Amino acid sequence: MHILSRVADSIYWLNRYVERVENYARLIETYQQLSLENAEVTDPLWLALVESTADTQGFQETYAEIRQEHVVEYLTFNRKNPNSIISCLYLAKENARSIREKISKDMWEAINELYTEVAEHAATNPEALLNDTGTSAFFRGIRRSCHAFYGISDGTLNHDETYYFALLGRAIERADKTTRILDLQSYMLTPETQAQFGEGQIFLGLALLKATSAHEMFNQAFAKITVENILEFLLLSRTFPRAIIASLLQIEFALRCLAGEHKGFFINAAQKKVQRLLLETRHLDVAMLVGGGLNAYLDNLQVRLNEIGIEITNTYFTAA
């Protein structure tokens, strides 16, 4: 490998943090909009959203009760929360700063401007964004800035090892977040919840599709919103970029390019784990998950993705 491990690590985590920010902004925006339509369905999501970031203890130490505005503040502006939007943007900016000589000026300016904008909102009047007025525009702006950063990266960065580490970080974070969104909203897909809401079950499906930015593309693939169709699309679609198998294919592609091999044989442990998970996912019977077992499957998937991340770190970022 010709790229320094320090540079590889920084570009990888820069893209992981940007992808994490985009996901949190999308989830908060989506859940706030859905709360206006059906609070009964979305109320359980706010606590689940905190739990999905693995920092429930920090939230409970900060707030006496679970309220929507508390969750939004904690996940957006709280610097003590290492997974808040502002914390992730700060870490993304610092990673970009450490490798400014390896990225384009436009990339650096894009991430620095996004961080500065969010930090200014946090310092001036964050309460205004915790209410319904103006909230959607604020989080939509964050999402679009993240998308713009990806476009700038694709258009201004050499498509060499640096680019493949960026692609790798983006894809593995995207796969992880799709599993977590499915996990935290899986109660919407149980037979009990579907029966409870009856005609409202379409709303439940829409909530999950909107949370993954999948609504429009799902409609092109399926005529009807059902639990099995949603799982089929979000787990097995090869063309929708946030689907699990599509993300795994991106991870496999990036690792193959980094290894410099195109003959199909394995080079390192990370590739082996990705190939094994891809093979299992291709043969997944979604119908088996509909009646039960979805949570166990998603938990295992998250563990496997973490293991791949560890192998990537051991292979490329740990100094020999």
Side-chain angles (χ1 to χ4, degrees):
M1 188 174 72
H2 299 99
I3 187 173
L4 293 174
S5 60
R6 172 188 64 83
V7 175
D9 181 76
S10 293
I11 195 71
Y12 172 83
W13 279 103
L14 164 59
N15 280 268
R16 287 202 68 160
Y17 286 128
V18 171
E19 181 66 22
R20 194 170 300 178
V21 166
E22 195 278 339
N23 273 271
Y24 288 155
R26 172 166 26 88
L27 285 170
I28 293 171
E29 179 190 0
T30 301
Y31 292 170
Q32 285 192 322
Q33 291 175 345
L34 294 172
S35 292
L36 298 176
E37 301 174 39
N38 194 328
E40 183 182 3
V41 173
T42 53
D43 278 350
L45 287 173
W46 294 109
L47 175 59
L49 186 53
V50 174
E51 292 174 342
S52 73
T53 67
D55 198 26
T56 308
Q57 181 179 348
F59 179 85
Q60 292 173 340
E61 291 173 352
T62 307
Y63 304 98
E65 58 181 331
I66 300 167
R67 293 167 54 182
Q68 176 178 319
E69 57 266 32
H70 291 166
V71 175
V72 174
E73 192 278 335
Y74 188 68
L75 292 179
T76 307
F77 297 124
N78 194 309
R79 291 182 181 270
K80 292 182 179 180
N81 174 12
N83 286 307
S84 68
I85 286 175
I86 197 165
S87 294
C88 289
L89 283 175
Y90 174 79
L91 291 169
K93 177 177 71 75
E94 289 306 299
N95 275 286
R97 184 196 301 277
S98 71
I99 54 170
R100 284 192 64 178
E101 75 282 1
K102 295 295 183 181
I103 62 176
S104 69
K105 178 183 177 183
D106 286 340
M107 288 176 65
W108 162 249
E109 289 179 347
I111 197 64
N112 189 49
E113 288 170 4
L114 177 55
Y115 169 76
T116 301
E117 179 184 354
V118 174
E120 287 176 351
H121 279 292
T124 53
N125 190 20
E127 292 80 9
L129 293 169
L130 304 182
N131 301 317
D132 295 331
T133 304
T135 300
S136 292
F138 175 69
F139 289 108
R140 190 181 309 120
I142 292 176
R143 287 195 300 106
R144 289 178 177 174
S145 292
C146 292
H147 295 160
F149 176 80
Y150 292 148
I152 292 169
S153 298
D154 289 347
T156 64
L157 195 64
N158 285 332
H159 285 210
D160 54 12
E161 288 176 323
T162 303
Y163 175 79
Y164 295 128
F165 276 114
L167 188 64
L168 186 59
R170 188 189 315 174
I172 198 163
E173 184 71 25
R174 184 168 290 176
D176 177 76
K177 288 299 172 284
T178 295
T179 64
R180 292 183 186 276
I181 294 170
L182 276 167
D183 202 17
L184 73 89
Q185 291 190 219
S186 60
Y187 78 92
M188 292 183 172
L189 304 180
T190 62
E192 294 78 13
T193 304
Q194 295 285 311
Q196 175 187 352
F197 285 95
E199 292 298 323
Q201 62 184 282
I202 293 179
F203 176 83
L204 301 177
L206 282 173
L208 182 50
L209 292 171
K210 288 180 179 179
T212 50
S213 291
H215 183 203
E216 293 80 10
M217 297 304 103
F218 174 88
N219 288 341
Q220 294 183 25
F222 295 96
K224 187 176 181 182
I225 296 177
T226 67
V227 172
E228 188 166 344
N229 286 348
I230 290 173
L231 292 177
E232 180 86 21
F233 188 71
L234 291 179
L235 293 175
L236 300 181
S237 172
R238 292 168 176 264
T239 54
F240 180 62
R242 297 191 182 279
I244 295 301
I245 202 165
S247 296
L248 289 173
L249 287 168
Q250 283 284 287
I251 295 169
E252 192 272 338
F253 168 75
L255 286 172
R256 182 155 38 87
C257 290
L258 287 169
E261 58 87 11
H262 301 279
K263 298 179 181 179
F265 54 87
F266 301 126
I267 297 297
N268 57 51
Q271 286 178 278
K272 291 180 180 179
K273 287 185 178 295
V274 174
Q275 286 285 355
R276 192 173 298 120
L277 185 53
L278 261 173
L279 181 63
E280 294 175 15
T281 306
R282 285 189 178 108
H283 293 89
L284 176 66
D285 183 0
V286 171
M288 296 292 291
L289 302 178
V290 175
L294 178 59
N295 290 108
Y297 171 76
L298 292 172
D299 288 345
N300 177 260
L301 193 53
Q302 288 170 17
V303 169
R304 304 280 291 279
L305 289 168
N306 286 336
E307 290 175 348
I308 292 169
I310 291 170
E311 291 298 344
I312 290 170
T313 296
N314 292 339
T315 302
Y316 292 108
F317 308 146
T318 303

